[in-house]
Amino acid sequence: MRYPPNHIPSGDDSIDGVSTIKFDDSHDLLWVGEKNGRLRSFQGAGLQMYTSSRAHFGPVLKILNHKRGILTLSTNVVRLGHRQGYTLYNVEFSVGTKFTSMTYTSN
């Protein structure tokens, strides 16, 4: 990911391996899922960080925006999180389950 010239990440602000990206057009946010399970959102023309939270313990594989929040997928967990970062629902499946993608048909 390229950062604008006025935003150079440092320390906890740095991104650790992007695994997925999604633009949330209903709230003008760019969502970034990382390989370490962290989910971040950025706003504005300068892409200032809006939120940063731990979504999963493994990589974030997929991000979908929903009117109630942000859906994220890990290998065996589906999470619905509020846009401010906290978890609303967390559904964990059996250890042998290995998801790779998700979709839904209604918002």
Side-chain angles (χ1 to χ4, degrees):
M1 176 173 203
R2 294 179 67 170
Y3 288 93
N6 62 348
H7 181 77
I8 306 297
S10 63
D12 192 44
D13 196 22
S14 63
I15 292 181
D16 183 30
V18 173
S19 57
T20 187
I21 296 176
K22 175 72 176 177
F23 182 70
D24 183 352
D25 56 354
S26 64
H27 288 81
D28 292 332
L29 294 170
L30 179 68
W31 291 92
V32 176
E34 298 179 27
K35 292 178 183 176
N36 65 2
R38 187 159 287 283
L39 180 67
R40 300 176 193 256
S41 65
F42 298 89
Q43 67 177 353
L47 291 179
Q48 293 84 19
M49 191 181 315
Y50 180 64
T51 61
S52 177
S53 63
R54 168 76 64 186
H56 300 283
F57 290 106
V60 179
L61 301 175
K62 183 78 174 178
I63 302 169
L64 295 175
N65 53 323
H66 186 270
K67 64 183 176 183
R68 293 188 181 212
I70 298 298
L71 286 162
T72 57
L73 178 74
S74 185
T75 54
N76 67 332
V77 177
V78 176
R79 174 187 181 263
L80 176 64
H82 198 273
R83 283 181 172 82
Q84 278 72 34
Y86 59 88
T87 300
L88 297 170
Y89 299 102
N90 206 31
V91 181
E92 188 170 349
F93 295 88
S94 64
V95 176
T97 305
K98 295 216 186 237
F99 293 119
T100 56
S101 189
M102 70 174 169
T103 187
Y104 65 87
T105 58
S106 177
N107 202 4

